[in-house]
Amino acid sequence: MTEFQSSCYNIVTDPNLSPKQKSHLLALAAENNLPYVTLDSETEKALNERVICDMYEGHAPYKPRYVLPDYAKFLKQGSQWLELAPAKTFDDAINMLTIAYHHVPSVTGMPVYLGCLDQLLLPYIGNLNEDELYDRLKHFWIMLDRNLPDAFMHANIGPTDNIICRLLLRIDKELKQVAPNLTFIYDEQITPEALLSIAIGNICETAKPHIANNNMIKKDFDEKGYGVVSCYNSLPVAGGGSTLARINLKEVALRSKHIDDFLQNTLPYYCELQLNLIKARSEFLYEKSNFFSSSFLVKEGLIDANRFAPMFGIYAMAEAVNILQEKSSLAGRYGQDEDANELALTITKQLAEFVDSNTLKYAWKGKAMLHAQSGISSDRGTTPGLRIPYGHEPDPVNHIMALFKHHHYYNSGISDILTVDETIKNNQSALLQICKAAFQIGFREFTANISGNDLVRVTGYMVRLSDIAKYKQEGSRINTTFLGSEAADDTEGNSYLCRTPRVISHEQIMGNR
């Protein structure tokens, strides 16, 4: 057999994959048997050495990485392509969304964005009472997990206090499902503390929802708004993310002589190469794939080709800073030392300036969006995004203080995961105060894992530890369990299982107000 045939044979005979999972992997194998999009020799070399990375999106991108349809418009106008009349009732709306999700492409083969569900469904409540809504929404939530079992699938709720929002929080806490991932959009001027408190209570049981700082994020978008998708990526509604490339800052630092060489020579060089990669992949998507000329989502005005942004990702900031500190004979380490943290901020500012200074042909507002990429399961010896290495995290307050200055710059998403001791369940108000304080000083997003829970976040998506424990014996119906299992096998000290749970004390909160 050829190498390609052997790869396909291994997929079809894998005992831990379902037929649907095999079908998806076979399609990806076929795409990756095509020639890669045309690259210059230096960019190709950097990609082969994985100093820059294409996130394994495929050799010939034929759909955007992340698609965020305008579902409100879909419900109001119906769809000629799908032969659906406009929604009139709550049941109409639920049914139409269920149908639409199966026709929204993404890098995973499943939708990464389900819409801001409470805002979408509120106009269709009619005379339904709370019990009737609860039954419908619970069935809907179960359907999502069973039919679209992918932890990158993401629903949004908030920022207003309403019956749909409260019911979805209640249902998600009861079911403790992996999918869908969930973001609660919090706005201190709109969201009552009582509703935020419910969301915090959910986190203590399920690690969901992720909480987004609307006051900060909305400034980077227009009147159509944004959605939080996949792990924690903020992108334009009626558009999305066309492609995501990322720089391994650790590898850039290893190729640098010292801090000045990194900032003046190697980092600018690899930033240019990553931009070349983004341009090449975007040109194929827009000029050769025919996606934007053929998709009913475009023709019916549910997405706009001009509202897609390429994502300029980075990761391994911690390793890069520590390597550069060592090469410059400096003792401080990332997340622990003020000088090391200032070096990281200098790097972030330079990245932001580079992205902002380069105009792209195929990009929302003509620019890429800077992204702190949260890693992939096969990464070894690197820390996701700008996170502090696992096992070396300070207490939650100092953790936030070490990172908050970066959040302003990463307009398509940055997130850390605070791993908190399970005693927080008896003092949930402390976690609420930490969340509010983080937003007040400049955190874009707030996420926490609670030790002792089955549901945990890996990079940014959800897994069940019990599923991972069984995966190698019996597989999993949830697509992303494999990724969690692979990440857990990291033997270089960077597995999410190495996170150190921290206790939040009353003194920490009062001392940092």
Side-chain angles (χ1 to χ4, degrees), residues 383-430:
T383 301
L386 277 84
R387 294 178 187 170
I388 298 170
Y390 301 147
H392 300 277
E393 306 95 335
D395 67 81
V397 171
N398 285 313
H399 196 146
I400 290 167
M401 295 301 293
L403 298 174
F404 78 91
K405 292 179 182 178
H406 294 273
H407 279 231
H408 166 73
Y409 297 97
Y410 292 86
N411 54 2
S412 70
I414 176 174
S415 176
D416 210 306
I417 300 175
L418 298 182
T419 302
V420 182
D421 186 82
E422 61 187 339
T423 54
I424 196 65
K425 294 179 180 181
N426 299 319
N427 187 19
Q428 295 181 16
S429 63

Side-chain angles (χ1 to χ4, degrees), residues 50-334:
R50 291 293 153 180
V51 186
I52 60 175
C53 175
D54 59 3
M55 297 294 293
Y56 305 98
E57 288 179 353
H59 288 189
Y62 60 92
K63 77 283 188 192
R65 181 178 182 87
Y66 301 128
V67 178
L68 284 70
D70 185 343
Y71 290 117
K73 184 174 185 177
F74 169 70
L75 293 177
K76 289 178 182 177
Q77 72 180 24
S79 170
Q80 183 177 356
W81 176 262
L82 296 175
E83 301 180 51
L84 295 171
K88 295 181 180 179
T89 67
F90 196 84
D91 289 338
D92 287 343
I94 290 286
N95 185 54
M96 287 179 67
L97 290 174
T98 301
I99 293 170
Y101 295 153
H102 283 274
H103 298 273
V104 177
S106 81
V107 68
T108 69
M110 296 189 185
V112 295
Y113 182 59
L114 303 181
C116 196
L117 288 175
D118 54 346
Q119 306 306 315
L120 285 173
L121 295 174
L122 280 170
Y124 302 99
I125 287 177
N127 295 323
L128 294 176
N129 61 37
E130 183 171 336
D131 289 341
E132 292 168 330
L133 289 170
Y134 171 84
D135 287 340
R136 286 165 168 79
L137 289 170
K138 187 171 184 179
H139 287 132
F140 177 61
W141 219 239
I142 292 170
M143 179 282 299
L144 290 172
D145 180 75
R146 305 311 191 269
N147 281 356
L148 301 168
D150 190 279
F152 294 113
M153 180 177 65
H154 210 119
N156 296 179
I157 51 175
T160 64
D161 189 356
N162 62 79
I163 190 170
I164 301 292
C165 181
R166 286 176 175 259
L167 284 174
L168 288 177
L169 285 170
R170 173 185 163 190
I171 290 166
D172 199 56
K173 186 176 181 180
E174 289 174 357
L175 295 176
K176 293 181 172 61
Q177 296 178 167
V178 167
N181 209 336
L182 185 64
T183 285
F184 175 67
I185 297 173
Y186 171 77
D187 190 313
E188 63 179 359
Q189 297 173 326
I190 299 172
T191 311
E193 187 166 300
L195 183 58
L196 178 60
S197 180
I198 294 173
I200 292 292
N202 274 41
I203 290 174
C204 290
E205 297 295 328
T206 66
K208 294 190 280 181
H210 180 80
I211 303 180
N213 184 356
N214 187 54
N215 273 339
M216 186 174 189
I217 299 173
K218 68 182 180 182
K219 295 175 184 177
D220 294 319
F221 296 87
D222 58 16
E223 68 282 352
K224 279 188 175 289
Y226 66 92
V228 181
V229 310
S230 187
C231 291
Y232 52 82
N233 312 330
S234 302
L235 293 164
V237 166
S242 52
T243 188
L244 168 57
R246 61 178 188 158
I247 295 178
N248 184 340
L249 294 179
K250 175 184 178 180
E251 289 297 324
V252 179
L254 288 171
R255 288 161 170 76
S256 305
K257 298 175 184 176
H258 42 65
I259 292 173
D260 287 343
D261 183 43
F262 177 91
L263 294 173
Q264 296 171 17
N265 300 310
T266 51
L267 183 60
Y269 174 72
Y270 285 107
C271 282
E272 289 288 351
L273 297 186
Q274 173 146 298
L275 202 64
N276 291 345
L277 178 62
I278 286 172
K279 289 177 181 177
R281 295 186 64 80
S282 297
E283 286 171 5
F284 188 94
L285 174 65
Y286 277 80
E287 297 175 7
K288 296 184 178 180
S289 76
N290 289 307
F291 174 83
F292 290 109
S293 62
S294 62
S295 173
F296 83 96
L297 296 169
V298 176
K299 293 177 180 179
E300 297 186 4
L302 304 179
I303 59 173
D304 181 341
N306 296 317
R307 292 183 63 80
F308 283 81
M311 300 166 71
F312 191 100
I314 61 95
Y315 72 114
M317 176 69 85
E319 288 75 21
V321 168
N322 291 343
I323 289 167
L324 293 172
Q325 289 284 101
E326 290 175 3
K327 288 190 173 188
S328 301
S329 300
L330 299 171
R333 291 295 176 264
Y334 180 74

Side-chain angles (χ1 to χ4, degrees), residues 423-479:
T423 54
I424 196 65
K425 294 179 180 181
N426 299 319
N427 187 19
Q428 295 181 16
S429 63
L431 191 59
L432 184 146
Q433 293 303 322
I434 288 286
C435 176
K436 290 178 64 176
F439 286 166
Q440 287 168 4
I441 65 172
F443 247 49
R444 183 177 290 269
E445 290 137 354
F446 182 86
T447 307
N449 277 343
I450 311 301
S451 65
N453 286 351
D454 192 26
L455 268 175
V456 298
R457 288 187 183 271
V458 177
T459 71
Y461 62 86
M462 308 303 302
V463 296
R464 280 192 298 235
L465 295 178
S466 57
D467 289 340
I468 290 174
K470 297 183 295 184
Y471 176 75
K472 292 182 179 179
Q473 286 72 45
E474 57 188 66
S476 175
R477 68 172 181 83
I478 300 168
N479 291 357

